[in-house]
Amino acid sequence: MDEAPTSKFHRKLLIACCGGPFLDGYILSLIGVALVGFVADFPVSPVQVGLIGAASLIGMFFGAIVFGTLTDRIGREKMYAVDLMVLVGACFLTAFVQGPWQLIVLRFIIGLAIGADYPIATSLLTEFTPVKKRGYMIGLSALAWGLGAMTAFLVGWVMVTASGGYGLWRWMLLSGAILGVIVVVIRRGIPESPRWLIQKGRISEAHDVIEQVYGHRDVSLSTVNTEDKTLPTLEALRLVLSRKYRKRVIMCGVLYFAQITPQYAIYIFGPMILLSFGLEGGSLDIIGTAVISLLFVIGNAAALKPVETLGRRPMTVIPFALMAVPLLALWLLPHGPVWFVILAFCFYAFVSGGPSLMEWIYPNELFPTEIRATAVGIVVAISRIGAATGTFLMPIGLDHLGVSGVMLIGAILTVIGFVVTYAWAVETKGRSLEDTSSIAIITPEQLRDARVAAR
């Protein structure tokens, strides 16, 4: 499996797994456009606006933890389509809401389903992917998220332009359900992960899947112990949070937290943020956000090859240092010209490509199969604490601190991400999952000493 060439099956699996992140980016971002029309139709307080934006992120916190551990217990394949069916139903109902609290509840349910899909889909993709393509293929999940977000703003712009306003916000929300049905259909026929089956001691079934996917049976599996190695839920959580994996959890969590919090705020409240900078007139705020989202996608695409050539660590640490620059510039010059504001956001979006990929790659590589989905769920949950808090506080922060203060907070988070990843990020490129999950986290000084000794 580690050395096999990519095949038609891998391409189908990649498309199916990327469907979840695409929906995530689409649904979470489109609310930023739809909210403008929703607020015009219903009386909504700043607190309720923040809750509407944050509800899905809060749902993702619980969904990632609960369903991440469940995925390690009952399997990836069983959970693979069910979570998206829940998402489709909730998206459909959002088109018929009659008040802010209905929308908040449904957005929370949507978040539960999206949070469940992160550990399910990425674990399945990771466990089937060949070593030499693993970073690239997992990284495409991040690219799919950005494409979903960009598509959301384009759909929003088309609807606003065609209708002359934001009155079609219900149709915007309904479109998420339509896309969800398409992804559910694509996911039909994807088998269970052989690595997970082996952990369960179900060797014969693992044989069958390997023969189905790769065309021959793996004779080495005849010597594998048939004992079920699945850990009870609490024991799996305890192991992930134990001293053995604690630094990895912190590093992955801070990486995700520091990268995703400003990014989600930009996507969900992009039009509001740009209006605060003075981008008014027609749908200039939506167009500006769409351009920024395009740069997020281009940045992700540009980082796909370097994560396999330059390596995981440099593509995490260096971009974090660069990402702080435009946020600090917007803090110092909040009343700069339009071109300056757009350029700063576009630069931030482009250079964030490396960390955007690594927030998907690292959690899946640094933990063993028996706790992989549990660990991914916990890391996603950590990131959603920041994302949900930041999203909830964004409209309140714009009202009380102004856009300058909000940019400073984003810059501080980015610097924290740089410091933590510089200290604890490790290199995993070109290694099997068994190797990457056993790599010890060492300090840069220890790494330097090891290189000197090797010479």
Side-chain angles (χ1 to χ4, degrees):
M1 292 174 63
D2 285 339
E3 304 300 327
T6 53
S7 63
K8 182 179 179 181
F9 167 80
H10 288 106
R11 288 188 287 273
K12 178 181 178 180
L13 176 66
L14 180 63
I15 294 171
C17 289
C18 286
F22 181 90
L23 284 173
D24 179 10
Y26 184 87
I27 293 168
L28 292 182
S29 301
L30 194 60
I31 191 66
V33 183
L35 261 178
V36 180
F38 179 83
V39 169
D41 287 352
F42 296 99
V44 184
S45 68
V47 172
Q48 289 174 324
V49 172
L51 283 174
I52 291 170
S56 57
L57 302 174
I58 297 170
M60 290 174 70
F61 172 87
F62 292 103
I65 291 180
V66 173
F67 294 104
T69 56
L70 192 60
T71 299
D72 278 333
R73 284 192 61 78
I74 71 173
R76 286 72 163 121
E77 186 265 342
K78 286 185 174 65
M79 302 288 296
Y80 201 43
V82 174
D83 65 309
L84 287 191
M85 292 301 295
V86 174
L87 182 145
V88 168
C91 284
F92 177 79
L93 292 175
T94 58
F96 303 95
V97 295
Q98 296 301 317
W101 289 107
Q102 292 179 5
L103 185 56
I104 290 168
V105 171
L106 288 171
R107 294 287 296 178
F108 175 79
I109 295 172
I110 289 171
L112 284 175
I114 293 174
D117 198 68
Y118 273 61
I120 296 168
T122 59
S123 294
L124 193 61
L125 179 61
T126 300
E127 291 164 11
F128 269 113
T129 304
V131 169
K132 292 182 180 179
K133 291 286 187 178
R134 191 174 60 232
Y136 179 86
M137 292 180 73
I138 300 173
L140 282 171
S141 299
L143 180 62
W145 196 101
L147 286 171
M150 184 180 67
T151 303
F153 288 116
L154 289 175
V155 168
W157 176 76
V158 168
M159 290 190 177
V160 169
T161 303
S163 63
Y166 293 82
L168 295 178
W169 62 268
R170 293 184 185 274
W171 288 98
M172 295 180 196
L173 298 180
L174 182 64
S175 63
I178 298 171
L179 291 174
V181 170
I182 296 173
V183 176
V184 170
V185 172
I186 293 174
R187 287 188 171 185
R188 295 183 61 186
I190 300 295
E192 183 57 85
S193 161
R195 294 180 190 271
W196 181 83
L197 290 169
I198 292 168
Q199 288 294 321
K200 295 290 288 184
R202 292 155 59 176
I203 308 304
S204 177
E205 293 175 64
H207 265 302
D208 293 340
V209 173
I210 290 173
E211 185 173 23
Q212 173 190 341
V213 173
Y214 302 100
H216 58 83
R217 299 176 77 82
D218 187 348
V219 294
S220 66
L221 288 182
S222 60
T223 62
V224 174
N225 193 326
T226 58
E227 178 186 356
D228 186 348
K229 304 179 187 67
T230 305
L231 297 174
T233 299
L234 291 179
E235 190 174 335
L237 288 170
R238 194 178 300 116
L239 178 58
V240 172
L241 299 175
S242 68
R243 179 176 295 182
K244 181 176 181 180
Y245 295 110
R246 193 172 300 154
K247 284 185 178 180
R248 300 181 192 192
V249 171
I250 294 173
M251 189 278 290
C252 292
V254 171
L255 160 61
Y256 220 148
F257 184 106
Q259 195 281 326
I260 208 71
T261 301
Q263 182 179 353
Y264 268 38
I266 292 171
Y267 272 121
I268 295 176
F269 293 113
M272 290 186 180
I273 294 172
L274 294 182
L275 285 173
S276 298
F277 275 110
L279 271 73
E280 299 179 359
S283 54
L284 186 60
D285 55 325
I286 302 177
I287 296 173
T289 310
V291 170
I292 295 168
S293 67
L294 175 62
L295 264 294
F296 272 116
V297 173
I298 294 174
N300 287 344
L304 283 170
K305 187 174 181 179
V307 297
E308 297 289 16
T309 54
L310 295 179
R312 300 351 182 198
R313 178 178 163 81
M315 289 304 295
T316 304
V317 176
I318 296 172
F320 261 128
L322 297 175
M323 288 159 60
V325 175
L327 297 180
L328 289 170
L330 290 171
W331 166 56
L332 294 171
L333 298 171
H335 303 296
V338 170
W339 66 265
F340 171 78
V341 174
I342 293 292
L343 181 63
F345 275 117
C346 286
F347 180 79
Y348 174 88
F350 179 76
V351 298
S352 71
S356 293
L357 301 190
M358 292 312 305
E359 71 192 29
W360 297 78
I361 296 171
Y362 264 145
N364 282 285
E365 289 187 332
L366 291 178
F367 300 91
T369 300
E370 61 267 27
I371 57 170
R372 179 168 293 116
T374 300
V376 172
I378 290 175
V379 170
V380 170
I382 292 172
S383 74
R384 266 51 193 182
I385 295 173
T389 303
T391 302
F392 171 68
L393 293 177
M394 175 60 72
I396 301 171
L398 288 173
D399 189 43
H400 289 80
L401 300 177
V403 72
S404 176
V406 170
M407 293 299 105
L408 176 60
I409 293 172
I412 292 172
L413 282 176
T414 305
V415 171
I416 292 173
F418 167 77
V419 171
V420 172
T421 55
Y422 179 82
W424 288 341
V426 297
E427 189 53 70
T428 58
K429 73 167 184 175
R431 296 171 178 260
S432 69
L433 289 177
E434 289 70 28
D435 286 342
T436 60
S437 61
S438 63
I439 293 175
I441 289 181
I442 60 175
T443 65
E445 290 75 19
Q446 290 172 318
L447 181 63
R448 222 170 7 249
D449 292 344
R451 287 173 177 169
V452 170
R455 293 195 192 101

